[in-house]
Amino acid sequence: MHSLTDKIKFYESIFGRGRLASNGKNFDVRCPICAPLDASKKKLAIRTDNDANHCWVCGWKARSLVPLLKKFGSQEHVNLYREFTGQGISPTTADVEVVQKIELPKDFKLLTLASDLDPDVKAAWRYVYSRGLTDRDAWYYKFGVSDEPRWKRRVLMPSFDSQGELNYFVARAIDKDRKPKYDNPDVDKNPVVFNEINIDWKKRLVLVEGPFDMVKCPENSTALLGSDLDERHEILNKILLFNTPVALSLDGDMWNKKTPKIVKKLQEYNVDVVVVDVRPWGDPGNMSKAEFEKALLEAKPLEWFDVFNDRLKKATEISFRL
Ligand SMILES: [Zn+2]
């Protein structure tokens, strides 16, 4: 652990002179993004306990200092920061402990060990098999079931952080008309890296939307738990910290929406990114592992011209309909 003085020295080596806020928790420096001409205006607040930072003027927000170091510092700053903070960025686990305590339902049972005589368990297995998943997948991803009303007739999938601590779980309904399709614990998703325990940040990382897409992916992968990615997400901060190359594989209907947006965000930081086209299947969850592997082999950088053409085509179709 570093002392506050060490931390402040580090902050000032990057952002210049700052000052400790009256709450004793934040360190305020000049924001390099809105870069006020008056250098005495220190509107970027950095939380000294976990380095989360935000600017009161321009609205910038990030979970760690890595995005700012990438934009305004050098690779050396990033390397130094990696050493400084150890393997992680911010004390994520501590953060999670304070803000959100995640627990599996009290009666959580591994699907592989639950009684086959229970009709709900039988139905859960039928659902798992119908998605092209196997017994091995059920063991490997620790699929589970619960009888609590909120989680009943859902397949639960836990997630563990890099230390092996539970950091999240998702619960997929097995009945067609059940809403919501996915039910998740009521906590902030931004600090969560789904199944970080299995991630090698030095290798290419495949990003999909949901954990049930992730299980189709033979490679190093994680789920965004949605279709957004920016500086507030731990995943982006870790990608930047480790210079991790990315293969982005959002659902097909995001091809013209969120996919280009995330690619743009990653390119802003010179992250090496290719896109996986799953449009013929809808989403990775509908594909076999072999199909996904093939699509992954064919992944390529997003051509902005294609995006533009697709949009143009859509716009023409719409105006034609009118
Ligand atoms: Zn600012």
Side-chain angles (χ1 to χ4, degrees):
M1 230 16 214
H2 293 270
S3 69
L4 187 59
T5 323
D6 290 338
K7 275 210 149 176
I8 286 174
K9 237 187 240 164
F10 184 76
Y11 297 154
E12 293 195 319
S13 75
I14 302 150
F15 303 106
R17 281 299 287 274
R19 62 177 162 247
L20 203 58
S22 50
N23 65 5
K25 212 166 133 192
N26 290 355
F27 194 71
D28 299 332
V29 295
R30 177 173 179 261
C31 172
I33 297 212
C34 55
L37 286 175
D38 178 357
S40 71
K41 286 212 159 68
K42 310 209 184 288
K43 297 296 182 188
L44 182 76
I46 307 170
R47 266 181 62 166
T48 53
D49 59 342
N50 65 6
D51 298 339
N53 52 92
H54 84 274
C55 172
W56 296 99
V57 177
C58 66
W60 164 267
K61 240 182 195 170
R63 270 195 70 73
S64 81
L65 290 179
V66 186
L68 286 177
L69 294 180
K70 284 263 169 175
K71 277 180 190 282
F72 300 100
S74 63
Q75 187 56 42
E76 263 159 50
H77 280 118
V78 177
N79 295 345
L80 199 64
Y81 188 61
R82 192 159 59 203
E83 278 168 35
F84 194 74
T85 54
Q87 198 261 334
I89 302 164
S90 46
T92 311
T93 327
D95 235 20
V96 170
E97 271 169 22
V98 175
V99 184
Q100 47 192 24
K101 179 92 182 121
I102 313 255
E103 276 175 348
L104 287 169
K106 291 265 178 300
D107 67 338
F108 177 90
K109 220 180 277 141
L110 282 177
L111 184 58
T112 43
L113 298 178
S115 164
D116 279 348
L117 299 173
D118 181 336
D120 291 345
V121 172
K122 260 191 205 156
W125 274 116
R126 264 201 305 278
Y127 175 77
V128 167
Y129 293 144
S130 77
R131 294 203 64 135
L133 300 172
T134 61
D135 292 40
R136 194 227 171 235
D137 293 319
W139 279 108
Y140 188 81
Y141 292 104
K142 317 278 183 288
F143 291 163
V145 284
S146 160
D147 275 330
E148 286 182 21
R150 182 173 173 188
W151 311 114
K152 198 176 166 68
R153 288 187 75 83
R154 291 179 177 276
V155 174
L156 276 60
M157 183 169 166
S159 158
F160 302 92
D161 68 12
S162 59
Q163 308 297 313
E165 298 285 333
L166 183 80
N167 65 354
Y168 204 66
F169 69 90
V170 296
R172 176 64 165 85
I174 61 176
D175 299 306
K176 233 179 164 181
D177 304 321
R178 177 103 175 256
K179 296 237 163 76
K181 238 181 348 183
Y182 283 96
D183 199 357
N184 311 325
D186 312 307
V187 296
D188 180 12
K189 288 186 289 191
N190 292 353
V192 177
V193 180
F194 199 89
N195 249 6
E196 184 174 13
I197 191 165
N198 288 336
I199 296 180
D200 179 348
W201 294 101
K202 301 270 167 68
K203 281 196 186 138
R204 183 172 80 170
L205 182 65
V206 183
L207 297 180
V208 295
E209 290 189 28
F212 281 90
D213 299 317
M214 192 188 80
V215 295
K216 294 298 176 66
C217 182
E219 273 184 35
N220 199 32
S221 59
T222 191
L224 298 175
L225 304 169
S227 50
D228 291 301
L229 185 67
D230 62 38
E231 290 84 359
R232 292 166 306 166
H233 295 94
E234 182 81 358
I235 296 180
L236 180 63
N237 285 269
K238 282 274 168 76
I239 287 169
L240 300 184
L241 188 69
F242 290 99
N243 282 323
T244 311
V246 167
L248 182 63
S249 184
L250 299 187
D251 292 359
D253 59 350
M254 290 294 163
W255 189 257
N256 287 316
K257 295 180 219 158
K258 297 291 180 78
T259 298
K261 202 174 157 201
I262 294 182
V263 168
K264 201 162 158 251
K265 177 58 69 189
L266 291 166
Q267 285 177 341
E268 221 177 273
Y269 295 98
N270 296 317
V271 175
D272 186 0
V273 54
V274 291
V275 286
V276 188
D277 190 355
V278 303
R279 281 176 294 174
W281 295 272
D283 63 54
N286 290 330
M287 301 166 82
S288 70
K289 285 177 189 165
E291 284 167 338
F292 192 72
E293 204 165 359
K294 188 161 173 281
L296 208 47
L297 277 174
E298 289 165 3
K300 52 179 199 230
L302 188 66
E303 302 287 346
W304 293 105
F305 186 69
D306 291 347
V307 175
F308 175 74
N309 263 348
D310 269 3
R311 283 204 180 145
L312 195 69
K313 216 173 109 199
K314 251 210 182 115
T316 325
E317 277 166 13
I318 290 166
S319 57
F320 190 68
R321 258 188 265 138
L322 291 173

